[in-house]
Amino acid sequence: MSNYKIGLGVTGGIAAYKAVEVMRALQKAGCEVRVAMTRHATEFVQPLTFRALSDAEVIVDDYDPENSDPIAHVNFSQNIDLLLIVPATANIIAKFANGVADDFLTSTYLASTAPVMIAPAMNTTMWEQPATQRNIARLRADGVHFVEPISGELACKTVGTGKLEDVENIVRQAMSLLVQSPKPKVQSSDDPSIDIGPWTLDLTGEHFLITVGGTREAIDPVRFISNHSSGKMGFAMAEAAAARGAEVTVVAGVTAVEPSTHINVVRAISASEMHKAVSERLSDATVFVGAAAVADYAPANAADAKIKKDGRETMTLELKKTPDILAEVASRRHDGLIVVGFAAETNKVIDYARSKLEKKKLDIVVANDVSKPGAGFNADTNIISILTADSAEDFSIMPKREAADKVCDAIIKFREEHGR
Ligand code: PMT
């Protein structure tokens, strides 16, 4: 078993009951969990619930006369391998971001040197508030990891982003961070025999290089050609692979979303920049995933100055083919590299995807019918089919993160069957 020590911080939101499930799952994975609650959290779940299930004192107030340790925030914070906050309210995020230490949990955050992971849950408007997003950006810059909230029906009966991520994904991401952390308090993260129960790190030892988002091809200094890729699918791939123990490098073009902080992202805006960034990093990779929507053509001669209309009714742009990054990676592949492409299609989806698999010499192709609602560009969900030379599997609509796990499963299966 893992024997990691986790400080679980619970704050006052309706999703506080989910923290009980997170604690149980972490315990199943062999972690020792100590719980700290804010005063408001105790309005939603009784400390006794956590106390009975963790067999340990639950601290709400440092100064409570019943608290056996007068400097609990220091002792607690220095004996954990991870401080995990589930759920995190906008209020606790604001306090952490500003160094406020007015209760046990906020003092613990300040006194801790352990990695911190925050799983927020709140109403969509509160989540989207510039103040909340500013605080999150500040915490990310401080090295705090976030388990992004998902979209769904919220306690206030509205539908939008702000729902706590699934317990399974929170625990996966927490375990992945622990295993990648440099100095676990109890057991070496390098220990290959580490057993984290049901949260399998079945991609440990793999290094994923993933292209994400859309590229932007300059026409002149103010205009460009691009596409609707948000980066959601590619970042979901990165997060799924990292959560399962893989080392991950992302080469990202233009994206509408950000990845979680523990993903290493290199920005490359045009197809040729992306091509260069991939070429420079390919030799370390064991799996290449082309999830980006790379422009197939770019203006042949981008103007140095803004092109003037000069009364012209039409304008002709000469385009030239961009480097096909995926095809080149497959043709130059080194031993052991698995090459996965995506195919965004609107008709004859499987036929065209299979033809890409063959022409580009891919190991796996993930087809998405981008004409279907809930699939493809900018959606939070996708409808995918996973093809190899001798198999094809169709999946119904699911969150992009779940679809990414299906692709990871296919990569593991391919590795088992083909050894590369
Ligand atoms: O980012 P999202 O909003 O979440 O949307 C996800 C997505 C629809 C962009 C994604 O799921 C997807 O399908 N990505 C590939 C889109 C695409 O451009 O497909 P394609 O059929 O044009 O290209 C086929 C493959 O070749 C892709 O793996 C692409 O990354 C790669 N390619 C294409 C052209 C090029 N010059 N270089 C490449 O590497």
Side-chain angles (χ1 to χ4, degrees):
M1 282 300 196
S2 68
N3 281 333
Y4 283 116
K5 290 192 175 185
I6 304 207
L8 179 63
V10 185
T11 74
I14 198 82
Y17 72 98
K18 290 272 184 189
V20 179
E21 291 175 39
V22 169
M23 183 179 77
R24 297 299 278 164
L26 289 167
Q27 288 170 329
K28 266 196 203 143
C31 299
E32 187 184 325
V33 184
R34 292 283 315 271
V35 177
M37 301 176 79
T38 61
R39 178 83 44 216
H40 282 127
T42 65
E43 313 262 347
F44 293 89
V45 184
Q46 288 283 319
L48 186 60
T49 306
F50 291 105
R51 183 177 182 159
L53 295 171
S54 66
D55 208 15
E57 200 173 2
V58 173
I59 311 174
V60 179
D61 182 358
D62 251 351
Y63 304 106
D64 187 329
E66 290 196 4
N67 185 354
S68 56
D69 180 354
I71 49 162
H73 63 277
V74 175
N75 290 331
F76 181 98
S77 62
Q78 279 162 21
N79 283 299
I80 51 176
D81 297 307
L82 173 70
L83 178 62
L84 175 65
I85 313 297
V86 183
T89 57
N91 187 43
I92 201 79
I93 290 171
K95 286 185 180 180
F96 283 180
N98 290 286
V100 175
D102 63 352
D103 64 2
F104 177 70
L105 186 55
T106 47
S107 308
T108 296
Y109 171 76
L110 277 192
S112 177
T113 52
V116 179
M117 182 170 268
I118 294 181
M122 67 194 75
N123 157 277
T124 308
T125 311
M126 293 174 80
W127 170 251
E128 288 173 351
Q129 271 302 331
T132 305
Q133 291 303 318
R134 244 188 341 263
N135 290 330
I136 288 169
R138 190 183 280 190
L139 287 173
R140 283 189 198 279
D142 290 345
V144 171
H145 303 269
F146 278 83
V147 181
E148 292 282 321
I150 54 177
S151 182
E153 190 179 333
L154 303 171
C156 51
K157 302 284 174 241
T158 56
V159 175
T161 302
K163 194 171 161 85
L164 187 75
E165 172 61 285
D166 293 341
V167 168
E168 182 172 333
N169 283 335
I170 294 172
V171 176
R172 258 192 214 285
Q173 292 189 42
M175 295 311 298
S176 160
L177 181 61
L178 277 166
V179 172
Q180 289 170 30
S181 296
K183 283 185 202 144
K185 293 257 181 305
V186 177
Q187 183 170 350
S188 162
S189 62
D190 298 332
D191 183 349
S193 66
I194 202 155
D195 171 5
I196 58 157
W199 313 101
T200 332
L201 296 178
D202 47 8
L203 287 170
T204 304
E206 298 283 5
H207 185 160
F208 277 55
L209 179 61
I210 308 175
T211 62
V212 173
T215 63
R216 191 178 269 185
E217 311 302 330
I219 297 170
D220 66 17
V222 297
R223 305 178 180 96
F224 54 80
I225 299 173
S226 191
N227 58 61
H228 295 291
S229 174
S230 62
K232 289 179 185 173
M233 188 65 238
F235 284 143
M237 275 306 311
E239 278 160 19
R244 291 165 72 156
E247 198 181 323
V248 176
T249 302
V250 162
V251 175
V254 180
T255 61
V257 291
E258 292 297 318
S260 59
T261 36
H262 63 293
I263 306 287
N264 174 24
V265 180
V266 178
R267 289 282 167 183
I269 302 304
S270 66
S272 66
E273 284 167 12
M274 192 174 268
H275 175 244
K276 183 169 179 283
V278 165
S279 305
E280 286 168 359
R281 289 163 181 82
L282 189 60
S283 59
D284 291 337
T286 61
V287 178
F288 177 80
V289 181
V294 186
D296 292 310
Y297 292 89
N301 300 297
D304 293 337
K306 185 178 171 190
I307 300 171
K308 292 288 163 203
K309 293 186 277 295
D310 289 336
R312 283 184 282 191
E313 285 305 314
T314 61
M315 180 180 283
T316 305
L317 266 183
E318 193 187 351
L319 301 177
K320 67 169 192 297
K321 202 140 183 18
T322 57
D324 190 326
I325 303 166
L326 181 65
E328 193 182 305
V329 165
S331 70
R332 278 177 39 194
R333 89 176 74 212
H334 49 265
D335 277 355
L337 182 73
I338 294 179
V339 183
V340 183
F342 270 73
E345 306 293 348
T346 52
N347 60 325
K348 294 193 186 165
V349 176
I350 300 298
D351 289 351
Y352 286 142
R354 189 161 288 289
S355 130
K356 270 178 193 151
L357 181 87
E358 286 159 11
K359 275 196 199 136
K360 298 198 186 193
K361 299 189 171 46
L362 310 178
D363 297 315
I364 298 172
V365 72
V366 183
N368 33 192
D369 182 346
V370 295
S371 68
K372 286 194 183 145
F377 294 102
N378 206 17
D380 291 323
T381 50
N382 209 352
I383 304 169
I384 59 165
S385 301
I386 301 181
L387 312 183
T388 65
D390 44 26
S391 70
E393 200 173 356
D394 298 327
F395 295 91
S396 49
I397 188 163
M398 61 179 74
K400 279 186 172 161
R401 177 53 203 278
E402 243 173 75
D405 269 313
K406 300 291 177 206
V407 179
C408 289
D409 293 344
I411 291 167
I412 289 165
K413 190 159 174 250
F414 189 92
R415 175 83 71 213
E416 280 164 7
E417 288 175 0
H418 298 82
R420 73 166 165 81

